[in-house]
Structures are given as structure tokens and as C-alpha cells.
Amino acid sequence: FDETGILVTTSYLDTWQFATGLYRYNKEYCGLNATEYSKKASELAQNMTDEFATRLFEELELDDDCSNIFQISAMQSGSDEDSTDGNLLSNFVQISRFDMAADYSNQDIPMKRGGAFAPGYIRSIYSSQNSTFTFNSGYSYNPELGQWESSTFILGFDISGDPSPLAIAEIPGEPINQYAADLFDGHLRVATTKWHWWNDVSTTTNRIFVLKVPDETEGSKMNVAGFTKHLGKINESIFAVRYIGDKGYVVTFEQKDPFLVV
């Protein structure tokens, strides 16, 4: 009988004090070309990094060696240097593991933790016996269209022992809730709705993505093994999802309420 408890929390980060001097629109960057701006902003960032990281480390109460924290920037909000509305460090997702059967006589709960920085905000959480996946809703910049599009940033953690980073991924759209995801046969299935408010043909795209969960020799990125075509009719969005075995069941509906005159 497993008496282990898993707790998922989010700490929202105030990065304004660090980032405010780096934005392209600041007057000290006026007249600089892209190369000159990057060089000057990078020098300023490097001078502030140590102090900011020290404060962040202390306030998040991270373990001493950070061995259970994703060591790289898992997801990037955008690739356009002139865009300023992407925020990779908007929050810190933390997975805590503790023994629910322990005697907390001293009112202290020993915990083992793992975590990662991520953009957006937690939309839903899916957990299996050995893995926990968090789904952060945010935006990715599409340079071809010159606009930001809704995306889901997925963080996977191994919870079979002390929580540790397992896998990362980014897919278009947003899941409706925790039932939109399911782990089956080494693959993570996620149903999302992507909104296109500017599109005159259809304002939505509904799809199920199948992601391969990597093993120890395959790195940390979950690659897309496949995805469906649009599910439902024009302008419909996903309202419910269930998975049973190798099949998924999806309910779509157009978000329009009847107007009645009585």
C-alpha cells in the first residue's frame, strides 16, 4: 500500500525588476541595430544575474544542489527580438513528495522536491502511478504570421522516487481540463483547442496530439508521434474528453447560447 502524497504548487515570479531594463523600447537602446542592442542588453543582464538568482534560490527554498530542477530553459515564449510580451520565467512549478503515514510529532513535514520554470499558468495536471505532467497555458510567437498564438507547455516529472525532471514538450492550443490528457503505452495523449479569432473561416482547431515519452537514452524532449485532423464542425471547441484503452472520446460544441423571446 503506497502512502506517498504528491503535491503540485505554482509560485508566480516577479521578474519585472530584472527584465525592465532589458526591453527593446528603453531609451538607452534607441538608434541601436539588432546586434548592438543584443550586446548591450546582454552585458546588463549578466551584471544582474547573480544577485537575482541568489534571491530567487532563497525565496523558492530550492534544495542545495538543484539536482531535481530542469537545468535548461525548457520552453521559449517567442523568437522575435522586438517582441516583449513573452515571459519564460512567469512561474515556477514544483512537485513535492511526502510520506502521509509519517508521525509529524514536531509538526514538520519532510519533503523531496523537483521543479521547473515555465511560461504561462497551470491549466491542468495529469498524474499516473509513476509520472506527473503539468500543462501550462501560454503563448508562442509565430514569425510567419507576426503574432502570438496560444500554446500548451508540458512539464513531465518522474515521481516513482524523489521527484525529478522527466520530459518537456510544447503543442498548439489549450486543454480543457485534466481529462484532456492520458498516458498510454509510453505515449502522452493530449486534446487541445486552438483559437483563431482573426480567422473568417473558423475560429477554432481541435486536435489530439500523441507525444512519445522519452526513455533514459532519448533526452528530455517529447516528440510528436502524430496528431488528428480538426475534430468537430466549424467554430466548435472541445467540451469534454475521455480515453479508454486505445480510443479517445471527444465532445465538441459551438459556444453560442439560444436567444429566446417569450
Side-chain angles (χ1 to χ4, degrees), residues 87-255:
N87 192 351
L88 177 63
L89 296 178
S90 60
N91 68 80
F92 182 76
V93 178
Q94 186 163 262
I95 311 294
S96 302
R97 186 177 189 265
F98 61 97
D99 184 2
M100 295 187 295
D103 180 12
Y104 304 122
S105 56
N106 59 356
Q107 297 184 342
D108 182 37
I109 303 177
M111 290 189 175
K112 295 295 185 179
R113 300 181 177 91
F117 295 96
Y121 62 94
I122 283 189
R123 179 87 177 195
S124 60
I125 300 168
Y126 170 81
S127 192
S128 64
Q129 184 69 26
N130 297 316
S131 306
T132 292
F133 296 88
T134 64
F135 302 86
N136 275 44
S137 292
Y139 293 89
S140 291
Y141 186 76
N142 185 331
E144 294 182 359
L145 298 178
Q147 58 195 12
W148 292 80
E149 299 178 328
S150 63
S151 296
T152 294
F153 305 97
I154 306 172
L155 299 172
F157 297 89
D158 183 353
I159 58 172
S160 59
D162 293 348
S164 60
L166 174 64
I168 59 175
E170 176 184 344
I171 56 176
E174 301 176 352
I176 186 171
N177 54 32
Q178 70 271 29
Y179 298 108
D182 181 73
L183 189 62
F184 178 77
D185 194 24
H187 292 76
L188 183 68
R189 304 176 290 190
V190 188
T192 68
T193 294
K194 182 179 179 180
W195 297 90
H196 314 278
W197 300 111
W198 62 91
N199 195 318
D200 294 333
V201 178
S202 178
T203 59
T204 62
T205 299
N206 308 312
R207 288 184 288 188
I208 294 178
F209 292 86
V210 179
L211 307 169
K212 172 66 169 63
V213 179
D215 59 29
E216 297 178 353
T217 65
E218 296 176 320
S220 60
K221 183 179 180 180
M222 287 187 287
N223 293 312
V224 176
F227 56 88
T228 67
K229 62 180 181 180
H230 173 69
L231 303 174
K233 298 180 180 179
I234 291 176
N235 296 327
E236 291 185 341
S237 61
I238 294 176
F239 263 50
V241 186
R242 292 294 187 275
Y243 300 95
I244 301 176
D246 60 358
K247 293 182 173 59
Y249 301 85
V250 181
V251 176
T252 62
F253 189 76
E254 186 172 0
Q255 299 189 61

Side-chain angles (χ1 to χ4, degrees), residues 30-98:
C30 182
L32 301 182
N33 60 35
T35 302
E36 293 169 336
Y37 158 68
S38 297
K39 181 179 179 180
K40 188 170 184 177
S42 296
E43 291 174 351
L44 178 60
Q46 290 174 5
N47 292 333
M48 299 186 297
T49 298
D50 288 346
E51 180 182 357
F52 180 78
T54 298
R55 287 189 57 188
L56 196 62
F57 186 92
E58 293 174 349
E59 293 178 11
L60 289 176
E61 299 180 354
L62 301 178
D63 293 335
D64 292 340
D65 60 357
C66 290
S67 59
N68 289 337
I69 308 299
F70 274 112
Q71 298 296 305
I72 60 172
S73 298
M75 273 77 68
Q76 180 61 54
S77 298
S79 58
D80 182 11
E81 65 185 25
D82 292 322
S83 297
T84 59
D85 47 353
N87 192 351
L88 177 63
L89 296 178
S90 60
N91 68 80
F92 182 76
V93 178
Q94 186 163 262
I95 311 294
S96 302
R97 186 177 189 265
F98 61 97

